[in-house]
Amino acid sequence: MKVVIPGGTGQVGTILDRALTAEGHDVVLLTRSPKGEGQLHWDGSTLGDWAKQISGSDVVINLAGRSVSCRYTAENLEAMMCSRVASARIVGEAIAQAARPPKVWMQMSTATIYAHRFDAANDEYGGLIGGSEHGVPGYWAYSVKIAQNWEAAQEQAATPHTRKVALRSAMVMSPDRGGVFDVLSWLARLGLGGSVAGGRQYVSWIHDQDFARAIRFLIERDDLTGAVNLAAPGPLPHREFMRELRSAWRMPVGLPATRWMAEVGAFAIRSDTELLLKSRRVAPGRLSDAGFTFGYPQWQAAAVDLASRRRRG
């Protein structure tokens, strides 16, 4: 199977490249800065020689977009919007003109599309789309708009011979350096991994091996199209999430942080508090109904496995 992954050199792309290559598949990564075999240049917004890789491929998994690990300034939010929408549109154009279009196009999206809530989990059937919640920062709505426009760019592409799946992914947890698990583990091991702003907000996540398995599952299931939540069935409040992470690292102490302390910390690491404070309570409704079985449905076991793998390097 030939798999083309635009934006495939980031954390999620590395996970998929590693898993698919290990299974013997031909993986081509499209990146602005190619560095090795199997990596080709593209700019994420215009057609080029890279488009030849699309024709005859079996699967395209578009992960391209500016990282959300940044300050949510107006400039950065606009860059997130433009990079995601432009890449989805140009991938759609490449598929539309392909002599032999791929069977399936998976487009990365985000669980951030759902509303900030505590009362129930958001699945694909009746989940609340965010953007109008009371009492949250106004710019959170722009993150939802980014996700909506991202998905719309795929939906509107004229690719009648290619099945489309929008991957509404929660945070993908892997032991790789620089990923979200690495950053949170660093805080936990320093004794700073306590609850933030009370810790009631829910954290949705997915283990890296389950993420790769879910992608393979979706490739094989010709009946699944549209939005699919990629999230473990065990979202949990932030205070419990961090407690289990500290336990996995055998760290008994975790200093809590108030909202303003979180603001200072996010500024120091050039990130944004939305990633910490928004309650992302997401359920994998369609995956579960289709018969997908999670290897790591609960965070406790997932955290222990990830910490163990991280220790082993």
Side-chain angles (χ1 to χ4, degrees):
M1 182 171 68
K2 180 178 180 180
V3 183
V4 180
I5 309 180
T9 55
Q11 182 209 8
V12 174
T14 297
I15 292 167
L16 289 180
D17 182 24
R18 185 166 56 216
L20 293 169
T21 299
E23 294 177 357
H25 301 298
D26 178 17
V27 179
V28 178
L29 307 180
L30 304 182
T31 173
R32 295 176 185 273
S33 303
K35 295 180 180 178
E37 186 177 354
Q39 298 187 15
L40 297 177
H41 179 268
W42 84 323
D43 65 5
S45 59
T46 58
L47 290 173
D49 287 344
W50 62 266
K52 298 175 184 177
Q53 299 292 327
I54 301 293
S55 184
S57 67
D58 298 287
V59 182
V60 174
I61 308 172
N62 183 24
L63 306 176
R66 193 207 191 288
S67 173
V68 299
S69 183
C70 64
R71 297 296 294 168
Y72 281 16
T73 63
E75 180 181 3
N76 285 340
L77 286 169
E78 184 65 19
M80 289 182 208
M81 175 76 82
C82 292
S83 62
R84 283 159 174 72
V85 172
S87 69
R89 284 177 178 166
I90 204 63
V91 167
E93 287 185 28
I95 293 174
Q97 72 171 21
R100 290 181 296 157
K103 295 179 181 179
V104 59
W105 167 18
M106 295 187 184
Q107 174 62 51
M108 194 66 167
S109 182
T110 174
T112 297
I113 198 170
Y114 292 113
H116 167 81
R117 66 188 300 194
F118 303 90
D119 59 326
N122 291 305
D123 62 17
E124 303 92 333
Y125 308 116
L128 302 179
I129 301 301
S132 60
E133 301 96 316
H134 175 71
V136 303
Y139 73 91
W140 286 15
Y142 196 82
S143 294
V144 174
K145 185 178 179 182
I146 291 172
Q148 290 175 309
N149 288 4
W150 206 2
E151 293 186 6
Q154 182 194 34
E155 183 179 353
Q156 293 164 6
T159 58
H161 304 294
T162 300
R163 178 168 56 96
K164 302 174 185 175
V165 180
L167 307 172
R168 291 181 177 173
S169 180
M171 292 187 294
V172 182
M173 298 292 177
S174 84
D176 300 294
R177 291 190 180 276
V180 62
F181 180 79
D182 188 35
V183 173
L184 293 175
S185 293
W186 173 70
L187 292 172
R189 294 167 78 180
L190 287 176
L192 301 176
S195 62
V196 174
R200 289 181 57 239
Q201 66 275 26
Y202 274 77
V203 179
S204 287
W205 55 276
I206 185 169
H207 187 281
D208 64 329
Q209 293 174 0
D210 280 339
F211 181 86
R213 289 178 55 247
I215 293 297
R216 292 193 295 271
F217 183 85
L218 291 170
I219 290 172
E220 295 167 1
R221 288 293 298 262
D222 292 339
D223 57 321
L224 292 176
T225 63
V228 176
N229 291 349
L230 296 187
L236 68 172
H238 181 269
R239 68 170 75 90
E240 297 176 20
F241 178 89
M242 294 306 297
R243 183 174 65 234
E244 297 296 352
L245 180 59
R246 294 195 308 271
S247 177
W249 285 110
R250 305 187 187 100
M251 170 55 72
V253 177
L255 297 178
T258 62
R259 182 180 291 265
W260 73 264
M261 291 168 68
E263 291 283 359
V264 172
F267 181 83
I269 63 174
R270 303 187 65 78
S271 186
D272 198 273
T273 54
E274 186 207 36
L275 303 174
L276 290 172
L277 300 180
K278 182 171 181 177
S279 186
R280 294 171 171 85
R281 191 173 182 182
V282 180
R286 297 190 69 197
L287 269 182
S288 295
D289 289 350
F292 181 78
T293 301
F294 286 83
Y296 293 91
Q298 302 300 324
W299 177 236
Q300 181 181 24
V304 169
D305 173 76
L306 292 165
S308 176
R309 289 163 60 199
R310 185 70 173 82
R311 288 189 189 97
R312 296 196 305 265

